Structure formats: structure tokens, C-alpha cells
């Protein structure tokens, strides 16, 4: 920022513009010495021939520098900057938006980041091979060729010998049904004997849908737990689906709640519809059966 | 922090340099016009018009009276810093890749490209002898064997020149006899930049093999390695703290096919001693070609393939930051 002296000498860029366009209100310059804030007000016509008022605010700072730097401050501009007015030219110098230095604690975070997905997979056992029960897809099983035919033989034998035992030999066809035998209550429709054809499970799916309600106008901050709290008083809930944005993880504003019983769902609709939640008014209705089921 | 964006170049930035006192920033780019700016407020002081090719390198002498620029138009020009007038134009047989003043400003070191069947040369001119400059006759010209010089740095007391090469070698050339004193090869790919610490006891190299390495200046012993996942185009050592800043990113030709988030165009701060990254600064949307610390260590400037120069003044939290041991 060159000193003010040089400013008063030559014709400033603002004045040049003004000379060309007649009938413009004069530009003014206001300097608040106390705070060191300079305000320049200019007028010009924009592309649509409309009068535009531009207010530029500068902070004038005085810094003590060595003589050589001070001398360089008063150098005349040259080259492409020859015609620039004193002070930064807004065409070349832009103050960009605030950014922060992101500090990384590499000792804590980096190894975690790398291992996280793998560790999760290990603990959850998302993938289980049907042939060797390893942590990989069945098609990628290293024993696929050697063990698979053998496995088939075994299961055939098992079903022939002990059709009632169920839990003893993990039949690859129905692995999910096996653990339910011990302890937990299993509805009759899901019990082994009843699981004859596919008709039953289809009916189950339809029943679920019948007790499903759709909640809309949720706020972005809503979480699954909030919904659980809100709807649990009406009856047991089997599933909550909250639509979330893939990137931000914020709610998209609607959710589906599956109740076990249709009556509970009906009461929930009556109770929560029009309920003010997080400064928004919820709208609750029956979910329409989705097309692909 | 609010970085100051300097938008005076039409093509990618090749080099950014502060003068000794740090009040001016000199920038060169692949367009033909180097610029000079006030570092404090980003005001453009002027430009040096006259080159007809990409300007690969520039330097300013210690008292900020003269500027040297080396260009692909086979010339190296000497300018008056105050007026922007061209004083001398040294003609070379091939494009000038690097050029720099010695500490006293008396000797000009110029390295040329190895093209059109002509060898890469490291030339030295005496700035006080107009004859040499006018007739483009260096008092010493060292033919460089093997791969060409991509970056060069003056060693302490102007005794030798440290050069970085296209295939990853680093060499020391004696500036009196022209002999090659030392050669090492710690990098597997091209060395893009060499910068010294404030006292010049150490130098940091930035290489295309995605690492930056710290060396002892006189023996070229390898001391530290700073690893990243992308090309490192430039690295600079903080004059006040044990920090190194690395600028880079994926290769410019691949940038258009990927998003900025994948490109990793952040400036990355490493601990000089522990070789660990501790902070990043985002902002550029092309690979950073050149980074340099202000001589007072309180700000740094980066120039990128996107044609912008960003001048960053550190927030107090940078100075408060300490490594937990």
C-alpha cells in the first residue's frame, strides 16, 4: 500500500472513468483516521445501463519497515501494472474466502484409517463362504473345486439321515433358521416345519408393508434414535428406515416406520400427524406399497 | 486465514520467489510475462515484458535491484527491478531451465535444456562484465553429462552449485574449476525443486517419485524422507520452525479426468525431524508447482498449475502447534 501522497498526485483510475461518463454522481472518499478505514464510493453504469453504486472499504495500516522496503513501497508501477491505481487492483488481487489449516494427528489417525474397513469386516463377518465358512465370497473360495461337490454329498446325506434335527448340521440352504431353534421365540409361520414354500415369506413381506407408515417433513437433524423415541409408545417397531444423504449423512426429510401390528401403525398416524417436531410439522400417512416388491 | 489470490498469469505458475527481505514476491509462469507483487497486500508492482516463451525460472539479487529470468525462448534476461526495464539479454543455444544469482549477486548461473542435439550446459556469467552479457559468452561453461539439470541451487560461499537432474541424480559442481565434485542418486525420478534451509546447512529436494528428501548440503548425505502419494513439485523449509511444506499433486495432464478432491492439491506440512505430516492447506485446484516460505516464516506463497498464486499468512494456531513427543 503506497503512501497517500502518490494517490493525490496523478489522476486516479476512478476519476478517469468519471470523466468519460457524464452525469454520474461524483465519487467520494471518506477516511476514518481513528480506525484507519478508508471508504470509497463510486458510481458507474453497468451493462444494463443502470446506475450502480460501488462502496469499497479499505483498511489502511501503518507498519514500520526497514528503509529499503519503504523505498520500494514508493516505486512507480510498471509493465502491465503501469496503469493500475494505487492500492491493490481488484482484477489481479483477490482476497479469497477463509480457509483453515487442517491439523492432522497422524500418529493416532492414520493407522486407524487404513485398518478400519478391514477390522469392521473381520468383526462383523459380513461375508461367509458357504463351502468352507471362511471370510470370503463363495465364488472366491479356494476350496471351491475340491470341497463343493463333497459338501453337496454331505448335506444330502444329512437330510436323509436326520430330517428333524435341524440345528445339528448347518444345512447350507437355511442357515438363518438354524440358530433360532434354541431359546428365542419363533413365530409359527417361520418355524422349520412351516417353511415349505415361498408363498409364506411373500405374505410376510406384504404384511410388513401393510403396517408401514411414511413420515415426511422431518428436519435434517433427525436421527433413527429420535424416530424410535417418537414412535415406540405406539407399539413394537420392526424396522425404521430413515432416508439419508449419501455424502453428508443428513436426513433427507422422510422416513418409513414398520410396526409389527397394523393397529399400532394406525394409532401412530392419528397421534403424530400434525405433531410439531424440531420446529417442523410432521405429516404421517400410510406408506404406499413400493413398486418393486 | 484468508489467503491473498494473485491472479496475474494466464498459464501455470513455474516459480515463485520472495526477495531477501520478503516484501516482494516474484512470479514466473508459462505465459511470457513474469510479475512482481507486494507480499503484504498482494498489489502488483509490475511485470517484465519481453520474453517470447515460457519462463521457467527467475531470481532476484540480494538487494532487490536486479531480476534474472530464464525462458524457453533461448534467452536469459536481466532486468532492472525498480523500472522493469530489460538491461541485458543473454542468448543461449537452447531453452533456459534454471537461472540464479550468487549470494553477492555478482555471478549469474544459467542452465540450459538438452534439446535439438545440443547438450545441457551449466554456464556462469560475471554480472560486472558487460562484455560477457552482451556477447553471451560465459566465463565458465560446464557440459553436463547424462540427464539434464532441472533445478539448481548455489552452495555456501558460492563454492559449488548443487544441481538436481531429470533422472533423480543430485550433483555438486565446483564453480571455480567446473569439475563435478559429488554425485548421489537418492531419488528414482526427476527432481523438481531444491531449496535450502535459512543457514544453508540442509537442502530439501522435491521429486516426481512422490517423496521429498532432506540432505546435508556439503556432503549430500541423505537425512530424512517425507513421503506422499503424489508427485512432489516443490518443498520449502521454514526459516523459524522445524517444518517443511510440500506442494504437489497428480500430474497436470491427468487432472482434468479427476475431481479436485482426488487430486490432492493441498499444501502439506511435515515435521522436519519426525518426517510426519501434521497439517494441510487446501485451496488450489491444480497441482502446486512451487511453494516457498516467506523469509520471516510467518507466511508462505504457493503457485500452481491453475495459474494462481496464493499467499497465506499463518493463523496463531500454527505458531501454537507443537509436536507431542
Amino acid at each position: 500500500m503506497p503512501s497517500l501522497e502518490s494517490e493525490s498526485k496523478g489522476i486516479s483510475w476512478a476519476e478517469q472513468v468519471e470523466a468519460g461518463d457524464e452525469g454520474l454522481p461524483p465519487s467520494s472518499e471518506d477516511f476514518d483516521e481513528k480506525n484507519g478505514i478508508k471508504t470509497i464510493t463510486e458510481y458507474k453504469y453497468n451493462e444494463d445501463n443502470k446506475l450502480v453504486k460501488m462502496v469499497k472499504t479499505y483498511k489502511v495500516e501503518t507498519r514500520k519497515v526497514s528503509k529499503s522496503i519503504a523505498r520500494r513501497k514508493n516505486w512507480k508501477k510498471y509493465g502491465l501494472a503501469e496503469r493500475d491505481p494505487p492500492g491493490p487492483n481488484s482484477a489481479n488481487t483477490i482476497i479469497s474466502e477463509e480457509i483453515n489449516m487442517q491439523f492432522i494427528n497422524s500418529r493416532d489417525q492414520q493407522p486407524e484409517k487404513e485398518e478400519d474397513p478391514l477390522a469392521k469386516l473381520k468383526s462383523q463377518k459380513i461375508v461367509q463362504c458357504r463351502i468352507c465358512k471362511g471370510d470370503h465370497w463363495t465364488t472366491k473360495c479356494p476350496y471351491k473345486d475340491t470341497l463343493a461337490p463333497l459338501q453337496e454329498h454331505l448335506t444330502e446325506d444329512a437330510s436323509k439321515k436326520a430330517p428333524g434335527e435341524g440345528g445339528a448340521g448347518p444345512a447350507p440352504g437355511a442357515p438363518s433358521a438354524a440358530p433360532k431353534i434354541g431359546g428365542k421365540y419363533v413365530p409359527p409361520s417361520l418355524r422349520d416345519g412351516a417353511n415349505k414354500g415361498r408363498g409364506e415369506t411373500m405374505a410376510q413381506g406384504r404384511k410388513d408393508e401393510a403396517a408401514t407408515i411414511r413420515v415426511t417433513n422431518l428436519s435434517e437433524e433427525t436421527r433413527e434414535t429420535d424416530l424410535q423415541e417418537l414412535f415406540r409408545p405406539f407399539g413394537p417397531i420392526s424396522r425404521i428406515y430413515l432416508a439419508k444423504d449419501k455424502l453428508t449423512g443428513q436426513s433427507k426429510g422422510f422416513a418409513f416406520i414398520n410396526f409389527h401390528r397394523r393397529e399400532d401403525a394406525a394409532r401412530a398416524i392419528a397421534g403424530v400427524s400434525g405433531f410439531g417436531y424440531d420446529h417442523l410439522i410432521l405429516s404421517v400417512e400410510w406408506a404406499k406399497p413400493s413398486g418393486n416388491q | 486465514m484468508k489467503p491473498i489470490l494473485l491472479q496475474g498469469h494466464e498459464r501455470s505458475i513455474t516459480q515463485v520467489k520472495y526477495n531477501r527481505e520478503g516484501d516482494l514476491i516474484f512470479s514466473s509462469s508459462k505465459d511470457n510475462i513474469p510479475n512482481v507483487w507486494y507480499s503484504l497486500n498482494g498489489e502488483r508492482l509490475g511485470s517484465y515484458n519481453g520474453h517470447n516463451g515460457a519462463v521457467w525460472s527467475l531470481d532476484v539479487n540480494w538487494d532487490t535491484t536486479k531480476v534474472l529470468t530464464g525462458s524457453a525462448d533461448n534467452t536469459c534476461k536481466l532486468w532492472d527491478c525498480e523500472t522493469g526495464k530489460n538491461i541485458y539479454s543473454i542468448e543461449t543455444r537452447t531453452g533456459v531451465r534454471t537461472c540464479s544469482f550468487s549470494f553477492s549477486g555478482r555471478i549469474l548461473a544459467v542452465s540450459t535444456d538438452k534439446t535439438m542435439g545440443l547438450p545441457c550446459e551449466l554456464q556462469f556469467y560475471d554480472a560486472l562484465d558487460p562484455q560477457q552479457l552482451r556477447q553471451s559468452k560465459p566465463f565458465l561453461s560446464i557440459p553436463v553429462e547424462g540427464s539434464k539439470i532441472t533445478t539448481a541451487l548455489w552452495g555456501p560461499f558460492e563454492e559449488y552449485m548443487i544441481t538436481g537432474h531429470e533422472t533423480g541424480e543430485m550433483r555438486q559442481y565446483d564453480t571455480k574449476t567446473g569439475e563435478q565434485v559429488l554425485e548421489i542418486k537418492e531419488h528414482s525420478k526427476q527432481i523438481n525443486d531444491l531449496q535450502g534451509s535459512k543457514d544453508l546447512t540442509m537442502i530439501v529436494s522435491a521429486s516426481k517419485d512422490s517423496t521429498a528428501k532432506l540432505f546435508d548440503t556439503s556432503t549430500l548425505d541423505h537425512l530424512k524422507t517425507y513421503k506422499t502419494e503424489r508427485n512432489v513439485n516443490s518443498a520449502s523449509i521454514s526459516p523459524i520452525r522445524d517444518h517443511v511444506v510440500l506442494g504437489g499433486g497428480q500430474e497436470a495432464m491427468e487432472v482434468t479426468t479427476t475431481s479436485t478432491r482426488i487430486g490432492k492439491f493441498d499444501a502439506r506440512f511435515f515435521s522436519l525431524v519426525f518426517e510426519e505430516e501434521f497439517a494441510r492447506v487446501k485451496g488450489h485446484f491444480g497441482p502446486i508447482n512451487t511453494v516457498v516460505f516467506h523469509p520471516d516464516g510467518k507466511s508462505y506463497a504457493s503457485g500452481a498449475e491453475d495459474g494462481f498464486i496464493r499467499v497465506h499468512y499463518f493463523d496463531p494456531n500454527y505458531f501454537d502447534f507443537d509436536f507431542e513427543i
Side-chain angles (χ1 to χ4, degrees):
Chain A
M1 47 207 83
S3 66
L4 287 169
E5 292 168 52
S6 57
E7 233 161 277
S8 54
K9 275 179 199 164
I11 297 172
S12 89
W13 168 79
E15 282 164 339
Q16 282 176 351
V17 171
E18 197 187 292
D21 299 288
E22 281 176 32
L24 281 172
S27 65
S28 64
E29 209 176 287
D30 188 32
F31 186 54
D32 179 359
E33 267 183 54
K34 215 178 180 183
N35 301 322
I37 289 174
K38 188 161 83 171
T39 319
I40 298 175
T41 315
E42 288 169 1
Y43 299 89
K44 69 164 191 182
Y45 288 107
N46 68 2
E47 294 135 11
D48 303 333
N49 241 354
K50 281 178 183 154
L51 190 65
V52 182
K53 180 181 178 184
M54 291 195 302
V55 181
K56 291 180 187 170
T57 317
Y58 297 98
K59 185 159 197 242
V60 179
E61 276 181 16
T62 312
R63 291 203 191 189
K64 282 202 173 160
V65 290
S66 70
K67 268 186 189 170
S68 54
I69 296 179
R71 209 180 310 126
R72 286 200 282 273
K73 274 286 167 216
N74 287 323
W75 279 359
K76 260 190 200 156
K77 292 187 180 183
Y78 52 85
L80 294 179
E82 201 174 3
R83 292 187 181 178
D84 282 0
N89 182 349
S90 54
N92 297 125
T93 308
I94 303 157
I95 307 291
S96 79
E97 73 268 34
E98 179 82 31
I99 56 163
N100 286 318
M101 203 167 196
Q102 299 170 313
F103 285 94
I104 308 161
N105 199 343
S106 51
R107 224 170 283 179
D108 297 348
Q109 282 181 358
Q110 268 182 350
E112 223 176 82
K113 256 187 213 164
E114 281 163 22
E115 282 169 29
D116 227 1
L118 280 176
K120 259 189 199 167
L121 276 180
K122 267 178 201 160
S123 61
Q124 286 187 357
K125 256 200 178 179
I126 292 171
V127 178
Q128 196 190 33
C129 172
R130 266 183 285 143
I131 295 164
C132 70
K133 301 285 178 286
D135 287 338
H136 49 253
W137 300 100
T138 308
T139 48
K140 288 192 180 156
C141 182
Y143 310 111
K144 191 167 67 177
D145 297 330
T146 51
L147 278 186
L150 211 125
Q151 199 87 0
E152 276 164 28
H153 275 293
L154 280 178
T155 49
E156 268 171 36
D157 290 352
S159 55
K160 271 179 204 163
K161 277 175 193 166
E165 269 177 274
S176 61
K180 281 190 181 170
I181 299 289
K184 259 190 189 170
Y185 170 74
V186 180
S189 58
L190 283 179
R191 278 181 200 156
D192 259 11
N195 202 4
K196 278 173 195 160
R198 277 188 189 161
E200 234 88 356
T201 49
M202 290 295 281
Q204 170 75 18
R206 228 176 285 144
K207 210 202 284 171
D208 258 4
E209 215 155 69
T212 304
I213 57 171
R214 190 180 66 168
V215 189
T216 51
N217 207 23
L218 287 162
S219 78
E220 283 188 340
E221 260 77 274
T222 314
R223 295 276 163 273
E224 269 111 341
T225 46
D226 302 332
L227 294 170
Q228 209 166 21
E229 260 172 52
L230 187 66
F231 287 100
R232 199 186 289 145
F234 298 101
I237 297 164
S238 61
R239 191 183 77 116
I240 289 179
Y241 172 76
L242 177 67
K244 277 180 282 192
D245 191 272
K246 256 185 206 168
L247 288 175
T248 62
Q250 279 191 318
S251 147
K252 275 183 170 174
F254 68 94
F256 292 99
I257 320 274
N258 295 37
F259 283 95
H260 279 303
R261 287 191 295 270
R262 203 179 155 83
E263 309 90 75
D264 294 338
R267 278 195 295 131
I269 290 176
V272 183
S273 204
F275 182 76
Y277 191 75
D278 251 9
H279 70 262
L280 291 171
I281 291 170
L282 298 185
S283 110
V284 187
E285 54 197 348
W286 290 108
K288 288 174 192 105
S290 57
N292 46 12
Q293 271 192 345
Chain B
M1 53 188 158
K2 279 188 177 168
I4 307 172
L5 246 86
L6 310 181
Q7 196 182 8
H9 291 286
E10 283 162 12
R11 290 194 58 200
S12 49
I13 309 297
T14 52
Q15 194 166 24
V16 170
K17 228 171 207 171
Y18 282 96
N19 63 343
R20 187 177 54 91
E21 284 144 318
D23 61 318
L24 296 178
I25 296 174
F26 295 83
S27 64
S28 64
S29 94
K30 285 185 191 169
D31 67 19
N32 311 342
I33 304 165
N35 281 319
V36 52
W37 316 76
Y38 288 112
S39 65
L40 207 58
N41 59 355
E43 183 180 350
R44 181 156 74 170
L45 170 63
S47 62
Y48 303 100
N49 307 354
H51 276 298
N52 293 318
V55 181
W56 292 116
S57 170
L58 88 174
D59 198 15
V60 55
N61 65 352
W62 71 281
D63 57 355
T64 324
T65 51
K66 289 190 178 73
V67 178
L68 189 67
T69 56
S71 163
D73 64 0
N74 298 3
T75 61
C76 185
K77 290 183 196 285
L78 190 66
W79 311 81
D80 181 52
C81 187
E82 185 178 346
T83 58
K85 293 216 169 70
N86 187 9
I87 310 170
Y88 291 112
S89 186
I90 303 165
E91 280 176 26
T92 52
R93 290 193 294 172
T94 55
V96 176
R97 184 60 56 161
T98 71
C99 62
S100 51
F101 284 103
S102 66
F103 297 100
S104 63
R106 170 147 187 196
I107 302 170
L108 318 177
V110 174
S111 87
T112 60
D113 272 348
K114 179 182 171 180
T115 44
M116 303 179 287
L118 295 166
C120 169
E121 281 180 347
L122 182 60
Q123 304 177 334
F124 295 93
Y125 296 87
D126 189 337
L128 295 183
D129 184 358
Q131 202 79 5
Q132 287 183 19
L133 302 177
R134 221 172 278 142
Q135 297 174 0
S136 305
K137 281 194 178 145
F139 69 84
L140 177 66
S141 180
I142 309 168
V144 176
E145 285 163 29
S147 67
K148 74 165 187 199
I149 293 173
T150 47
T151 174
L153 184 74
W154 281 91
F157 310 113
E158 308 178 0
E159 280 170 356
Y160 50 84
M161 197 91 195
I162 305 151
T163 56
H165 293 254
E166 202 175 18
T167 45
E169 295 99 344
M170 279 167 69
R171 292 180 190 162
Q172 279 181 359
Y173 284 100
D174 192 299
T175 53
K176 298 280 180 305
T177 61
E179 276 169 25
Q180 183 182 313
V181 187
L182 259 176
E183 177 174 329
I184 55 154
K185 190 171 182 197
E186 291 286 345
H187 284 292
S188 57
K189 285 181 184 166
Q190 177 177 326
I191 294 174
N192 290 319
D193 192 25
L194 285 175
Q195 288 190 33
S197 62
K198 197 178 183 185
D199 55 7
L200 220 86
T201 52
M202 298 175 289
I203 50 172
V204 65
S205 63
S207 166
K208 210 175 167 183
D209 67 4
S210 73
T211 61
K213 289 182 177 174
L214 190 74
F215 297 92
D216 183 282
T217 310
S218 56
T219 60
L220 291 186
D221 285 339
H222 176 213
L223 303 174
K224 301 281 176 189
T225 306
Y226 312 101
K227 280 190 198 126
T228 69
E229 320 71 65
R230 301 288 159 142
N231 297 350
V232 184
N233 289 336
S234 187
S236 183
I237 304 173
S238 167
I240 54 167
R241 306 208 52 179
D242 287 339
H243 294 165
V244 187
V245 59
L246 267 59
Q250 71 187 152
E251 195 125 28
M253 57 191 288
E254 293 163 13
V255 167
T256 47
T257 58
T258 44
S259 81
T260 48
R261 226 182 315 169
I262 303 166
K264 302 207 165 78
F265 307 137
D266 313 357
R268 308 170 73 162
F269 288 78
F270 281 73
S271 158
L272 185 79
V273 183
F274 305 123
E275 308 173 321
E276 262 173 37
E277 186 183 359
F278 66 91
R280 287 180 188 187
V281 175
K282 279 187 189 171
H284 282 292
F285 43 92
I288 295 177
N289 283 342
T290 169
V291 281
V292 60
F293 267 105
H294 189 282
D296 72 2
K298 290 173 187 165
S299 62
Y300 81 95
S302 57
E305 195 73 21
D306 58 19
F308 289 103
I309 300 157
R310 294 170 76 98
V311 185
H312 309 73
Y313 283 86
F314 292 119
D315 285 335
N317 62 358
Y318 168 77
F319 301 105
D320 296 341
F321 177 81
D322 258 320
F323 267 92
E324 290 162 25
I325 301 163

